[in-house]
């Protein structure tokens, strides 16, 4: 694995952060912790900032991005910040007619289902997303010794939204193209891979200390299909990123964990369905793990949260490096005080 960039623009030695050390499978002073969707709907300060502001507007307003990204760092004392954005931001930036509808998710006006639709996907240019660079540069100054994680959606998940026209339970149109029109499928994946890679490279160049590739829906495919239709494109992205730890996460990917690492990730994210010691066996040596408390556990009494968290920490010792996280994003109804207590517990017990 390539070494993380050691120096923060303000002279802070970020390489010594517990988060980056764990990603590199090095000894840590405590188990580092951050939470997917830590900057979001469970925080009252987030709801105040976002009131009346559409999601995609918030994701393209540097001051708002900085404020929302910083909120959980101030409140919880987590070991890493996650850049506030959405996986469809680069698609919107290149002219795809889409919107994020509350309670639904990304909705695409003109789904891509043929070569003509594919032709509408042009390359992403730095000038398309100046707000990303501006916000990250501002964040690196405010975060000090806390690393910033950049992120993007993976080609399969972005492709599914584009093909289906929105969220899908069965991804039937996506799979129909994958199986029935493999040349069109691979052309779409190649186009999306370049867009994603450019997006992540811009984030790293601006100051992100690590990146996470979200393949939220890839658990819908079987291992053999992942290897044929997804792996080459994910690998292209990871091979094109140097200098920072690369995290790969998907939901329902228990059968794909070894392949997620094979794609080039330094850290494999694990959802709550597979215990971390078993995940370590499936992923194999040379990778760190991230996860994997069930987000719904945080809705239970604290005694349950503590017991379940200690179990995650215990099983996480089987991994060569462990970044504590949830097995998916923070649920909107989560009490922020539970997350604060959980962060303190992980720091003390881990």
């Amino acid at each position: 694995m390539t070494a993380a960039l050691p120096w923060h623009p303000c002279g802070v030695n970020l390489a010594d952060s517990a988060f980056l050390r764990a990603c590199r499978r090095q000894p840590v002073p405590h188990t580092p912790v951050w939470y997917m969707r830590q900057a979001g709907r469970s925080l009252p300060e987030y709801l105040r900032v976002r009131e009346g502001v559409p999601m995609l507007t918030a994701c393209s307003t540097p001051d708002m991005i900085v404020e929302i990204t910083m909120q959980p760092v101030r409140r919880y004392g987590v070991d890493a910040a996650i850049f506030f954005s959405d996986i469809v931001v680069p698609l919107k930036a290149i002219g795809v007619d889409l919107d994020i509808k509350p309670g639904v998710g990304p909705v695409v006006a003109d789904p891509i289902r043929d070569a003509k639709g594919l032709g509408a996907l042009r390359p992403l240019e730095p000038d398309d997303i100046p707000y990303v660079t501006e916000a990250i540069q501002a964040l690196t100054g405010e975060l000090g010794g806390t690393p910033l994680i950049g992120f993007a959606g993976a080609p399969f998940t972005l492709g599914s939204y584009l093909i289906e026209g929105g969220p899908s339970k069965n991804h039937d149109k996506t799979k129909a193209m994958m199986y029935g029109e493999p040349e069109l499928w691979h052309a779409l994946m190649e186009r999306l891979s370049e867009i994603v890679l450019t997006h992540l490279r811009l984030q790293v160049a601006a100051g992100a200390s690590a990146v996470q590739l979200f393949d939220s829906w890839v658990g819908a495919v079987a291992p053999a299909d992942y290897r044929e239709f997804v792996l080459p494109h994910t690998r292209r992205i990871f091979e094109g990123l140097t200098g920072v730890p690369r995290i790969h996460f998907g939901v329902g990917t228990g059968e794909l964990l070894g392949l997620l690492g094979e794609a080039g990730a330094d850290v494999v994210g694990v959802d709550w369905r597979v215990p971390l010691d078993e995940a370590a066996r499936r992923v194999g040596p040379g990778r760190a793990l991230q996860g994997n408390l069930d987000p719904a556990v945080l809705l239970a009494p604290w005694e349950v949260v503590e017991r379940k968290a200690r179990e995650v920490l215990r099983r996480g010792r089987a991994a060569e490096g462990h970044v504590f996280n949830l097995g998916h994003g923070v649920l909107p109804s989560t009490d922020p005080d539970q997350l604060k207590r959980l962060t303190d517990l992980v720091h003390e017990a881990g």
Side-chain angles (χ1 to χ4, degrees), residues 96-223:
V96 175
D97 186 357
L98 61 81
D99 194 15
I100 299 176
K101 297 193 175 180
V104 178
V107 176
V108 179
D110 299 306
I112 293 177
R113 293 171 187 164
D114 53 29
K116 181 180 177 182
L118 175 62
L121 284 184
R122 66 169 176 83
L124 180 70
E125 303 292 343
D127 289 344
D128 294 324
I129 48 173
Y131 42 85
V132 170
T133 297
E134 182 180 340
I136 289 178
Q137 289 174 343
L139 278 164
T140 55
E142 288 207 31
L143 284 166
T146 302
L148 176 66
I149 305 168
F151 82 94
F156 178 89
T157 293
L158 292 178
S160 178
Y161 280 122
L162 289 172
I163 296 165
E164 304 286 343
S168 171
K169 183 177 180 180
N170 298 314
H171 308 277
D172 49 338
K173 295 180 178 65
T174 304
K175 290 185 175 183
M177 181 188 292
M178 188 175 76
Y179 293 132
E181 299 181 84
E183 289 187 6
L184 179 61
W185 170 265
H186 284 294
L188 175 60
M189 292 296 100
E190 288 171 6
R191 189 74 55 88
L192 288 171
S193 296
E194 290 305 314
I195 291 169
V196 170
L197 181 54
T198 298
H199 190 206
L200 290 173
R201 281 174 168 168
L202 285 169
Q203 292 176 67
V204 172
S209 298
V211 294
Q212 175 156 311
L213 189 66
F214 285 87
D215 214 345
S216 307
W217 306 135
V218 79
V221 303

Side-chain angles (χ1 to χ4, degrees), residues 33-36 249 269-276 290-313 322-331 334 338-339 341-343 345-346:
V33 52
W34 70 279
Y35 307 109
M36 289 181 281
F249 173 76
V270 185
D271 74 10
W272 66 91
R273 295 171 177 85
V274 179
L276 287 182
Q290 178 176 279
N292 73 336
L293 185 70
D294 188 334
V297 168
L298 288 162
L299 307 182
W302 170 250
E303 305 79 58
V304 178
V305 178
E306 180 177 10
R307 174 169 55 83
K308 292 284 193 179
R310 290 184 183 276
E311 179 75 2
V312 170
L313 287 167
H322 178 211
V323 176
F324 190 97
N325 207 313
L326 305 181
H328 198 197
V330 175
L331 297 172
T334 303
Q338 290 277 66
L339 280 170
R341 293 184 73 179
L342 177 58
T343 305
L345 172 68
V346 173

Side-chain angles (χ1 to χ4, degrees), residues 16-166:
D16 281 340
S17 72
F19 168 72
L20 292 176
R21 290 184 66 85
C23 290
R24 296 194 301 269
R25 310 187 311 281
Q26 296 173 343
V28 291
H30 60 264
T31 300
V33 52
W34 70 279
Y35 307 109
M36 289 181 281
R37 289 191 189 149
Q38 65 187 18
R41 297 166 292 176
S42 66
L43 291 178
E45 55 265 46
Y46 169 81
L47 297 175
R48 286 194 295 269
V49 169
R50 275 288 318 281
E51 186 176 1
V53 181
M55 180 64 175
L56 288 172
T57 301
C59 292
S60 58
T61 306
D63 289 350
M64 194 169 287
I65 295 170
V66 171
E67 170 59 23
I68 294 172
T69 301
M70 291 298 301
Q71 286 175 350
V73 178
R74 299 186 198 115
R75 183 184 273 263
Y76 303 134
V78 286
D79 294 280
I82 178 76
F83 186 67
F84 174 72
S85 188
D86 189 273
I87 63 171
V88 299
V89 162
L91 300 181
K92 181 72 172 180
I94 63 170
V96 175
D97 186 357
L98 61 81
D99 194 15
I100 299 176
K101 297 193 175 180
V104 178
V107 176
V108 179
D110 299 306
I112 293 177
R113 293 171 187 164
D114 53 29
K116 181 180 177 182
L118 175 62
L121 284 184
R122 66 169 176 83
L124 180 70
E125 303 292 343
D127 289 344
D128 294 324
I129 48 173
Y131 42 85
V132 170
T133 297
E134 182 180 340
I136 289 178
Q137 289 174 343
L139 278 164
T140 55
E142 288 207 31
L143 284 166
T146 302
L148 176 66
I149 305 168
F151 82 94
F156 178 89
T157 293
L158 292 178
S160 178
Y161 280 122
L162 289 172
I163 296 165
E164 304 286 343

Side-chain angles (χ1 to χ4, degrees), residues 257-259 261-262 268 270 278-289:
L257 287 173
L259 289 164
E262 190 177 326
V268 175
V270 185
E278 171 60 17
R281 186 190 69 78
R282 296 185 189 186
V283 171
R287 314 281 184 222
L289 297 184

